[in-house]
């Protein structure tokens, strides 16, 4: 397979998830010669995702909805406080979709190849090395090895990214900012097929939440994300408990098991080095409140492509030139995500009683606004009512 590749590219992209396909697509649309390298044998599989995508996320990504991957329409959401108090939000029309990532990621990859990018699978970027003015990228496919050259490497290799570190940028995320997530795709269960459900509480999912994302009448992704320093047991044990306590879930069958880490903080001021730009989970570009990273990865990939194009036109791949990526991303997405990171730090300090109390006063619309990075004022005003929470309220306001 490696013999199908040319010797040189403008950009070599590590990973063909949403971030990699975005960088590849938008660079190719600008006339750059791009190769995206994916170590898995099938793009999008195995999924490590609840597969939830809101309408606003799809709009930000700028892609058209396609029934082949947008397999289930969501019309509302229900959030449960630890005592079971339910806060519901319903929308007039489709407010989001549960997608089939195995199809969706391939769709994004095809948008990239349609634009002129080349993608190779079952091939790993095993090493990268700066040469004068360019980068040598060493690919491994089964027993074969090949060295290619490029001007810029885009590290889109997800939460376990190595490429950036090899090129001198430390992307290590603090343990407190990473959620361990486990999920079962289950069928034969009793669910509300029109609403996603989110369950909060320090006994249910410390530092995170449990979710039910319907994929049909009686099928759903049921998962849990917890943060190790705050949890007493493994994420898998929290998930088993969650299912065990609900007869409508316990009676079902598990048809797929998924697990992975989700960066929910640890945003990086600097995401570039000479000849290197880091995008998506590899740069911790995820919503710290709900852990959604698909739209963040795609939008950041588009920004990265703009900067890469400018660098190639200038013939200058230094960090000075690439630093415009930091500036643009922080302006367009970083500030909002940083505020959500602050909010996450507040929410994780609330006791179950305080969460129950808040659920009496916050509406579904309030929760949606907060999760999207606005509407903090009402929450802060509520927190102000309890002396213990005043300092948290101030953190949200300033
Ligand atoms: C359990 C779970 C549930 C989630 N639920 C949601 C959700 O409902 N909605 C949402 O928006 N987000 C969700 N996320 C987050 C979302 O999956 C990620 O944010 C998103 O996939 C990030 O895209 P990415 O391209 O940056 O990384 P990835 O999708 O992880 O892609 C990185 C790719 O790089 C490849 N790679 C790694 N190293 C190399 C190498 N050396 N050479 C070649 N290839 C390499 C990997 O194989 C992988 O395919 C969830 C995550 C988890 C773990």
């Amino acid at each position: 397979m490696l013999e199908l590749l040319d010797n040189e590219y403008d950009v070599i992209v590590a990973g063909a998830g949403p971030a990699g396909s975005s960088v590849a697509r938008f660079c190719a649309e600008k006339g750059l010669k791009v190769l995206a390298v994916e170590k898995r044998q099938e793009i999008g599989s195995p999924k490590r995702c609840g597969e939830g995508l809101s309408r606003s996320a799809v709009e930000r990504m700028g892609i058209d909805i396609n029934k082949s991957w947008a397999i289930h329409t969501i019309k509302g959401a229900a959030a449960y406080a630890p005592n079971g108090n339910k806060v519901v939000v319903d929308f007039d029309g489709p407010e989001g979709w549960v997608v089939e990532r195995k199809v969706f990621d391939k769709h994004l990859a095809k948008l990239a190849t349609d634009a002129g990018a080349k993608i190779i699978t079952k091939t790993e970027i095993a090493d990268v090395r700066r040469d004068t003015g360019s980068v040598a990228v060493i690919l491994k496919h089964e027993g074969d090895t090949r060295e290619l050259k490029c001007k810029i490497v885009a590290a889109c290799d997800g939460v376990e990214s190595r490429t950036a570190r090899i090129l001198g940028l430390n992307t290590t995320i603090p343990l407190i900012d990473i959620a361990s997530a486990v999920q079962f795709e289950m069928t034969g269960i009793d669910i509300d097929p029109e609403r996603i459900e989110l369950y909060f509480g320090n006994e249910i999912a410390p530092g995170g939440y449990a979710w039910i994302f319907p994929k049909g009448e009686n099928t759903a992704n049921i998962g849990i994300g917890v943060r190790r320093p705050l949890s007493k047991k493994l994420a898998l044990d929290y998930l088993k408990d969650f299912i065990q306590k609900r007869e409508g879930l316990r009676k079902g069958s598990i048809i797929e098991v998924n697990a992975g880490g989700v960066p929910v903080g640890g945003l990086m001021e600097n995401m570039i080095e000479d000849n290197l730009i880091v995008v998506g989970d590899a740069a911790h570009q995820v919503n710290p409140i709900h852990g959604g990273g698909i739209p963040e990865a795609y939008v950041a990939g588009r920004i990265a492509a703009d900067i890469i194009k400018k660098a190639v036109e200038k013939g200058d791949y230094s960090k000075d030139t690439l630093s415009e990526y930091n500036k643009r991303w922080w302006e367009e997405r970083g500030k909002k995500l940083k505020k959500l990171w602050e909010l996450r730090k507040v929410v994780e300090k609330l006791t179950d009683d305080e969460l129950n109390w808040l659920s009496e006063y916050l509406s579904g619309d309030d929760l949606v606004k907060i999760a999207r990075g606005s509407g903090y004022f009402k929450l802060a005003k509520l927190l102000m009512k309890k002396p213990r929470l005043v300092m948290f309220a101030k953190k949200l306001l300033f």
Side-chain angles (χ1 to χ4, degrees), residues 15 18-19 37-40 48-52 101 125 281 293-294:
V37 181
E38 172 53 57
K39 72 177 176 187
R40 300 198 232 174
R48 280 188 289 188
C49 190
E51 304 183 301
R101 279 264 333 235
I125 295 195
D281 275 18
I294 300 168

Side-chain angles (χ1 to χ4, degrees), residues 14-20 37-40 48-53 101 123-125 156-158 163 181 183 211 213 260-262 279-282 286 291-295 297:
V37 181
E38 172 53 57
K39 72 177 176 187
R40 300 198 232 174
R48 280 188 289 188
C49 190
E51 304 183 301
L53 207 55
R101 279 264 333 235
T123 301
E124 185 183 3
I125 295 195
C156 303
D157 40 357
T163 318
Q183 177 179 272
W211 65 83
F213 287 0
V262 189
V279 185
D281 275 18
V286 173
I294 300 168

Side-chain angles (χ1 to χ4, degrees), residues 14-32:
S21 286
S22 173
V23 174
R25 172 185 171 184
F26 295 109
C27 282
E29 282 182 1
K30 292 173 199 306
L32 300 179

Side-chain angles (χ1 to χ4, degrees), residues 77-81 84-89 358-367:
Y80 290 84
N85 194 25
K86 183 175 170 185
V87 180
V88 173
V89 58
L358 278 177
S359 73
E360 302 286 339
Y361 295 98
L362 290 172
S363 69
D365 285 332
D366 293 332
L367 292 183

